[in-house]
Amino acid sequence: MSVEAFRVEDGAFALQSLWRRGVKFDGLVCQSDAQAGGVINELVRQGIRIPDEMKITGVDNSPLAESCIVPLTSVSSGMKIAGKTAVEILMRRLAGEAVESIVLPPLLIVRASTGGPPSA
């Protein structure tokens, strides 16, 4: 899949494709907040109520998530924290210290697109 598949218009296109194929669903987890924004735009154009009839989740927790017409529930991978932690571990390793692998859990930010608060 190309990077272009993460655009707003790609989310709307994917939603229309699912409908054309007759796929029944009441929610989508999109690969990016931009795709999810396109899905939300298309659902609103079609008069489908979010989250009553369709729940939408994105991934990135980008600024777009809060500015969607229906604020978007999103998963944050914590890239800033991960980057900072990686540098700290690398610096300790370069200094000759023993280091261990760590796991940084993702963070779910619940907003209106899945029935959560209108903004988070």
Side-chain angles (χ1 to χ4, degrees), residues 22-87:
V23 177
K24 302 289 183 200
F25 54 95
D26 61 3
L28 287 173
V29 176
C30 301
Q31 294 177 328
S32 70
D33 289 348
Q35 283 179 340
V39 168
I40 287 173
N41 290 345
E42 185 63 23
L43 291 170
V44 169
R45 275 194 287 275
Q46 298 294 327
I48 295 172
R49 295 172 297 142
I50 306 165
D52 299 329
E53 297 175 86
M54 185 78 63
K55 292 175 175 38
I56 308 299
T57 301
V59 175
D60 302 329
N61 195 38
S62 68
L64 177 65
E66 289 186 282
S67 64
C68 284
I69 191 165
V70 177
L72 175 64
T73 291
S74 188
V75 178
S76 173
S77 61
M79 293 302 287
K80 286 182 183 178
I81 293 170
K84 181 178 184 249
T85 303
V87 168

Side-chain angles (χ1 to χ4, degrees), residues 75-89 92 100-108:
V75 178
S76 173
S77 61
M79 293 302 287
K80 286 182 183 178
I81 293 170
K84 181 178 184 249
T85 303
V87 168
E88 290 169 355
I89 290 171
R92 289 198 326 255
E100 294 181 18
S101 294
I102 62 168
V103 175
L104 299 173
L107 177 63
L108 177 66

